[in-house]
């Protein structure tokens, strides 16, 4: 383990106080929240590692840019500025803004579903992507390499597609039944794990061979590009911008939640390489779903901030510190024996709760139990990425068993310090030391879709 974690490449111009609560208070707060931290008020959270989505800090340049927002309904100056930046980075022809990533998904994904019985194949679908795939009537199939499920063994690109399996699924289902291949960079659900450029290129070749469209879910494309620069032979001396362009050159359409590597609190991207019919489809559909194509769910000022943020996210000093913070937290936990997805990924440390609480079966949500214990211990809010989130089989309605049961400690961008991460690490280690006391959970209320956001639970 290297101890050379980069210091902050910024100084702090505005601060937002956060407050501690007592353990007694947290017991009541968590019970009232139905043992689901999504229902907690953020003011009752000391360090909030629920997500890195829209929770980062904007730079002084971004705050300055806000004043230049042009709020015209049609043809806003801010749209054209943002379009220029998106085209500069993606080198794609067409751009439409959306209110966030799932806005892009709902507008674009139905285009690819031409008939009944189709499926999308992804290294791993993020949960909203899966939901939008299923809303089109298609099925979502994950196809990540086996190494990803072995949390303790190092692999530089645990987000990679299993290429043999990809081919096998296409052959078995028939290429005409595959709506699209979705490359998720980084692969959020397996631990913010990167996908190598070599693997992305091989996926493109397979897509070409079978004439299947390739969709890039690039919420964290800059973090993925940084890992390629760090870990993949031949890219050490390339700029992150160039690597990102090489990644995106492999896609037909780029969907992005700008709340991550767009460094904004709200926003999304649909960028289309050159398919005019696809562009016309999205441009027509965006109007009733999101808004007129030159704002698509964003205010002019937010488009200005995003134009700056998309470029700042490719700054290599920024990325080094960002990835080092995540690695720092991971190293601290590993040193104390806490099992995590190793190596750590781009945006979060994923704690392996199957290993921590083997006595809790998947349908009693072991990782949710660890998340709750951590909140009680230190007031840190993490999130479950496991069987609770995965939900039920759309056909049989049975609880699905996630191959991995994670507690995700998600680090917001430019927001917390290494000292905050020490507090988190100490809390997780305490929970780990008392792991025998962890108990499973059962539903008192379960909504039909995306249940983890609003479900209520109670300990068994
Ligand atoms: N794709 C990926 C890979 C994501 O991680 C997310 C969101 C989305 C799409 C959807 O974007 O939230 O802007 O609508 N991930 C967040 C998370 C919510 O916490 O990981 P959105």
């Amino acid at each position: 383990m290297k101890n050379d974690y980069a210091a902050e490449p910024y100084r702090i111009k505005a601060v937002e106080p956060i407050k501690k609560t007592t353990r007694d208070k947290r017991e009541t707060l968590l019970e009232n929240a139905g043992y689901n931290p999504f229902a907690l008020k953020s003011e009752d959270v000391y360090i909030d590692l629920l997500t890195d989505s829209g929770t980062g800090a904007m730079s002084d340049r971004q705050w300055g840019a806000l004043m230049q927002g042009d709020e015209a309904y049609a043809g806003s100056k801010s749209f054209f500025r943002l379009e220029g930046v998106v085209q500069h980075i993606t080198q794609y022809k067409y751009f439409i803004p959306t209110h966030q990533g799932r806005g892009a998904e709902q507008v674009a994904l139905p285009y690819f579903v031409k008939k009944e019985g189709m499926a999308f194949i992804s290294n791993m679908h993020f949960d909203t992507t899966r939901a939008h795939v299923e809303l089109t009537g298609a099925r979502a199939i994950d196809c990540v390499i086996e190494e990803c499920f072995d949390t303790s063994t190092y692999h530089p690109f645990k987000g990679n597609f299993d290429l043999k399996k990809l081919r096998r699924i296409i052959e078995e289902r028939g290429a005409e039944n595959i709506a699209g291949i979705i490359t998720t960079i980084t692969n959020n659900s397996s631990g913010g794990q990167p996908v190598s450029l070599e693997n992305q290129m091989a996926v493109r070749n397979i897509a070409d061979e079978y004439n299947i469209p390739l969709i890039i879910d690039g919420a964290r494309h800059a973090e993925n590009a940084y890992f390629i620069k760090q870990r993949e032979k031949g890219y050490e001396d390339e700029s992150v911008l160039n690597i990102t362009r090489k990644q995106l050159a492999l896609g037909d359409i780029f969907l992005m939640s700008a709340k991550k590597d767009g460094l904004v609190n709200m926003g999304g991207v649909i960028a289309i390489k050159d398919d005019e019919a696809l562009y016309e489809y999205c441009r027509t559909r965006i109007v009733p779903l999101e808004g007129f194509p030159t704002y698509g769910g964003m205010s002019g000022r937010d488009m200005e901030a995003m134009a700056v943020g998309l470029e700042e996210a490719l700054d290599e000093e920024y990325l080094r510190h960002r990835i080092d913070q995540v690695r720092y937290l991971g190293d601290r936990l590993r040193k104390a024996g806490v099992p995590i997805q190793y190596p750590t990924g781009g945006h979060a440390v994923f704690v392996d709760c199957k290993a921590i609480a083997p006595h809790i079966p998947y349908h009693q949500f072991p990782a949710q139990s660890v998340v709750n214990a951590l909140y009680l211990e230190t007031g840190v809010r993490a999130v479950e990425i496991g069987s609770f989130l995965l939900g039920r089989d759309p056909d049989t309605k049975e609880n699905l068993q996630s191959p991995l049961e994670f507690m995700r400690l998600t680090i917001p961008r430019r927001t917390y310090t290494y000292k905050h991460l020490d507090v988190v690490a100490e809390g997780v280690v305490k929970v780990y030391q008392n792991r025998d006391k962890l108990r499973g959970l059962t539903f008192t209320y379960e909504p039909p879709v995306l249940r983890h956001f609003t479900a209520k639970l109670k300990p068994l």
Side-chain angles (χ1 to χ4, degrees):
M1 284 179 214
K2 282 197 288 180
N3 268 332
D4 54 344
Y5 309 102
E8 285 72 14
Y10 49 80
R11 55 184 172 184
I12 296 166
K13 197 179 298 231
V15 295
E16 179 185 359
I18 47 178
K19 74 171 199 284
K20 292 188 187 174
T21 45
T22 61
R23 177 156 187 135
D24 276 354
K25 181 99 191 288
R26 290 195 291 275
E27 298 271 3
T28 312
L29 291 166
L30 191 63
E31 189 186 345
N32 292 343
Y35 295 90
N36 183 356
F38 273 106
L40 290 169
K41 289 184 179 162
S42 90
E43 62 179 1
D44 295 327
V45 173
Y46 178 42
I47 298 171
D48 202 351
L49 306 188
L50 185 70
T51 179
D52 64 323
S53 183
T55 52
M58 293 210 296
S59 68
D60 54 350
R61 283 184 58 225
Q62 287 180 288
W63 284 107
L66 283 180
M67 275 309 288
Q68 294 169 39
D70 171 1
E71 305 301 342
Y73 190 94
S76 152
K77 221 164 46 191
S78 307
F79 166 79
F80 291 108
R81 209 172 105 58
L82 177 57
E83 182 188 52
V85 171
V86 172
Q87 286 170 339
H88 172 73
I89 293 171
T90 63
Q91 318 242 282
Y92 285 11
K93 192 163 172 194
Y94 302 113
F95 162 64
I96 302 171
T98 63
H99 81 282
Q100 63 181 92
R102 67 201 72 179
E105 291 164 358
Q106 70 162 344
V107 168
L109 288 181
Y111 176 81
F112 300 99
V113 183
K114 310 287 187 198
K115 55 179 185 173
E116 264 179 45
M118 296 191 90
F120 287 85
I121 310 172
S122 175
N123 44 346
M124 269 196 182
H125 294 81
F126 179 67
D127 53 346
T128 60
T129 321
R130 176 179 299 276
H132 278 297
V133 161
E134 288 172 358
L135 283 171
T136 68
R139 288 291 171 261
I141 304 172
D142 291 343
C143 186
V144 76
I145 53 169
E146 272 309 306
E147 287 88 334
C148 161
F149 302 106
D150 175 4
T151 53
S152 59
T153 306
Y154 183 90
H155 185 291
F157 293 103
K158 278 189 172 174
N160 279 357
F161 274 86
D162 180 334
L163 298 168
K164 273 204 194 114
K165 189 172 167 194
L166 175 60
R167 228 174 239 291
R168 199 177 66 231
I169 298 168
I170 298 170
E171 292 282 348
E172 277 170 12
R173 294 212 161 219
E176 69 284 2
N177 298 315
I178 305 302
I181 298 175
I182 304 176
T183 308
T184 310
I185 51 174
T186 58
N187 186 7
N188 180 1
S189 316
S190 76
Q193 298 291 318
V195 184
S196 73
L197 208 41
E198 185 189 18
N199 190 259
Q200 293 185 54
M201 285 174 189
V203 171
R204 176 76 247 181
N205 288 339
I206 293 173
D208 284 343
E209 190 182 322
Y210 292 98
N211 200 20
I212 299 169
L214 202 156
I215 298 142
I216 296 178
D217 177 352
R220 301 178 182 84
H221 69 90
E223 291 168 6
N224 201 82
Y226 182 80
F227 280 120
I228 288 171
K229 186 177 167 107
Q230 297 297 303
R231 298 180 185 169
E232 192 165 350
K233 268 213 180 68
Y235 298 102
E236 307 79 0
D237 299 323
E238 269 202 57
S239 70
V240 167
L241 172 63
N242 264 346
I243 296 172
T244 243
R245 283 177 173 170
K246 284 188 175 158
Q247 306 186 97
L248 303 194
L250 300 168
D252 298 304
I253 179 168
F254 172 71
L255 307 178
M256 179 184 183
S257 165
K259 300 170 74 171
K260 285 83 166 174
D261 283 351
L263 286 172
V264 285
N265 303 114
M266 198 54 76
V269 172
I270 299 175
I272 295 161
K273 189 189 272 164
D274 52 20
D275 184 337
E276 202 177 325
L278 173 56
Y279 173 61
E280 287 304 332
Y281 175 90
C282 293
R283 212 174 57 143
T284 307
R285 216 173 129 79
I286 191 113
V287 179
L289 290 176
E290 297 272 305
F292 188 77
T294 62
Y295 74 85
M298 295 187 74
S299 56
R301 57 180 169 271
D302 284 344
M303 290 194 281
E304 291 286 343
M306 189 164 132
V308 177
L310 283 168
E311 291 197 319
E312 286 184 353
L314 292 165
D315 179 288
E316 297 184 21
E317 285 305 304
Y318 152 76
L319 280 166
R320 187 154 94 87
H321 169 258
R322 160 93 183 129
I323 304 294
D324 275 6
Q325 272 205 329
V326 178
R327 185 167 60 90
Y328 173 79
L329 178 57
D331 287 350
R332 280 217 49 173
L333 294 181
R334 267 166 60 82
K335 259 183 223 152
V338 179
I340 62 166
Q341 175 66 289
Y342 177 73
T344 45
H347 66 297
V349 175
F350 283 60
V351 178
D352 182 352
C353 299
K354 213 150 95 172
I356 292 184
H359 57 288
I360 303 178
Y362 73 93
H363 52 86
Q364 293 175 14
F365 315 132
Q368 185 72 7
S369 169
V370 178
V371 166
N372 286 339
L374 178 63
Y375 177 69
L376 293 178
E377 184 62 47
T378 54
V380 171
R381 173 159 66 174
V383 71
E384 195 260 12
I385 307 269
S387 298
F388 179 45
L389 178 145
L390 192 57
R392 293 181 185 270
D393 184 295
D395 298 318
T396 67
K397 310 293 176 211
E398 288 296 315
N399 262 317
L400 291 168
Q401 178 171 12
S402 172
L404 298 162
E405 304 285 356
F406 283 131
M407 168 172 73
R408 186 181 74 173
L409 300 162
T410 337
I411 318 291
R413 294 169 181 77
R414 306 190 290 207
T415 301
Y416 291 114
T417 64
Y418 285 99
K419 190 70 196 165
H420 286 121
L421 300 182
D422 285 338
V423 173
V424 175
E426 281 153 27
V428 175
V429 170
K430 280 219 182 101
V431 170
Y432 178 66
Q433 286 163 348
N434 293 312
R435 59 193 178 280
D436 296 347
K437 297 200 190 97
L438 293 165
R439 285 187 297 158
L441 297 143
T442 187
F443 286 106
T444 59
Y445 162 69
E446 183 181 358
V449 282
L450 294 175
R451 66 184 182 186
H452 59 294
F453 289 125
T454 51
K456 297 216 175 287
L457 301 159
K458 64 171 195 236
L460 286 160

